[in-house]
Amino acid sequence: MFKKILGTGATRVMNLLIGFITMMMGTKVLGPAEWGIGFTVLTDLTFLLIGVELVAGNGLVYFTPRKNLPTLMLISYVWILLVVGLYGLLFLVLSHFPVTFDRLVPKGYERITLLLTLVYSFHGFNLNVFLGKEKVSTYNWIFLLQIIVQVSSMALFIFVFHCYDAHAFVYSLLCGYTTAFLVGFIVLLPMIRHEGHDPVVATAREMLRYGSVMQLSTLVSTLNRRMSIFLLRQHCSEDAVGVFGAGTQVGEGVKVFGVSVSMVQFSRLSNLTDRERIAKLTVMFLKITVVLTVLALAVLALLPVGFYEWLFSDQFGEVKLILMLLSPGLLFSSAQLIFANYFMGTGLPKYNLYASLVGLAVTVPSTLLLIPRIGIKGAAISFSITYLAILLYQWLVFKRQTGVKWKELLLTKEDWVWFKEEIFAIFAKKLE
């Protein structure tokens, strides 16, 4: 299990390094305004995926061990085409209100945003199935392929085709998603051939019921970011969106450990039924996540402002301040992923929905209050307080359900012994 965490973590670190290269190209060559447009498109994509993932999202990790794959694929593909088609009709209606539409989706990027949503949805289906079948290494290789193609194609668009606007970044996303989807589909085909079928209508109802609660719970993080971008564009400038986007993406790199641990956790818990063991594993995963995230945040805190100006450009000096304000929220966000996956892996996603409603009650007033007054600093502060509220709610529910005391969350000597034994076991195996 720990080996899977390290493997996933290594892949995410690669993603972080490649992400830095992408941001360096985007910020230095394209500038903050164009980078802000690219970041807005990426955020719009995340927002549109909520509708798709009501059925064809992370819930597949839960259903893959319980249902036959051909049925899951049929339902998911039909749902993806239906939802993206509805988005197309919505975009067509909104095009008659250009002022409003341009505030939601950058002008000239409407069609590519829909295409990205379609391709990523099929790619996401593959990734979630690999996790559900505990094929974490396959997941990692496909994900690694995606990010390598992305950064390579972005360099190609900029330095060979001389594309110096946000299209270079957006087209690179399309290349990465398309390549990874096709390779993932080829890998998935043998699994499909060896499985039977389940009742389509009944399975679809289960997936929608489970997925709707899960996706509503992801609404807060997406809405927080989308509202922040909308208000920054309205009260500040496209440059401010670019700076905030750079800070957010660097911060997402810190969550590499939390995401890696939570992915392995979700894959593992979805295949277990012993509630006591699940609770103990959750506490262990939480400790690993918090320790690794704190260490990563400490590294970011030690880096001087000049480093970020060198990395991106002189126009991105505020990134260090944004990261410091985001840091508490990044820690809270990484920790709450562990609790969220506990609820999802035990078939209780409704508690993530309730946590999201708590977060939503904080997100809306905090962004509306802080961003018009202090700009990107307000967006970062809003992020941190939102995730503090979510984490506190999830902990209270987890404590009530499992009987785990807060003292059990503290690191013990036994935890360090277990950690060292796992590390030594991995290296010993490599030397055999």
Side-chain angles (χ1 to χ4, degrees), residues 26-27 29-40 228-249 312-319 322 375-377 379:
T27 54
V29 179
L30 306 183
E34 290 298 323
W35 184 247
I37 292 173
F39 182 71
T40 303
S228 296
I229 290 174
F230 178 80
L231 293 170
L232 285 171
R233 292 179 74 187
Q234 185 173 356
H235 295 282
C236 301
S237 64
E238 208 72 68
D239 286 9
V241 176
V243 173
F244 179 70
T248 301
Q249 287 180 293
F312 304 127
S313 74
D314 294 343
Q315 296 171 290
F316 289 82
E318 275 192 286
V319 166
I322 298 307
I376 52 179
K377 295 187 285 294

Side-chain angles (χ1 to χ4, degrees), residues 118-239:
L118 180 67
V119 176
Y120 186 87
S121 298
F122 291 131
H123 169 48
F125 172 85
N126 296 342
L127 293 182
N128 285 316
V129 168
F130 292 139
L131 279 183
K133 290 188 173 293
E134 293 196 83
K135 295 184 177 296
V136 179
S137 60
T138 305
Y139 175 102
N140 289 335
W141 282 113
I142 298 294
F143 181 78
L144 189 60
L145 173 67
Q146 172 201 318
I147 58 178
I148 289 174
V149 171
Q150 280 178 209
V151 71
S152 303
S153 57
M154 184 172 176
L156 189 68
F157 286 125
I158 292 176
F159 301 114
V160 177
F161 298 123
H162 307 293
C163 179
Y164 300 122
D165 60 22
H167 284 96
F169 173 65
V170 175
Y171 289 155
S172 73
L173 293 177
L174 183 60
C175 291
Y177 297 158
T178 303
T179 304
F181 159 64
L182 292 175
V183 173
F185 183 77
I186 292 170
V187 174
L188 207 59
L189 273 179
M191 302 181 199
I192 299 170
R193 291 171 181 164
H194 292 90
E195 294 193 17
H197 296 270
D198 293 301
V200 174
V201 176
T203 304
R205 285 175 180 167
E206 282 186 66
M207 293 172 68
L208 182 59
R209 185 165 54 250
Y210 184 89
S212 60
V213 177
M214 284 184 64
Q215 287 314 115
L216 285 172
S217 68
T218 65
L219 182 63
V220 169
S221 60
T222 310
L223 186 60
N224 186 292
R225 183 178 294 183
R226 194 64 192 87
M227 281 190 65
S228 296
I229 290 174
F230 178 80
L231 293 170
L232 285 171
R233 292 179 74 187
Q234 185 173 356
H235 295 282
C236 301
S237 64
E238 208 72 68
D239 286 9

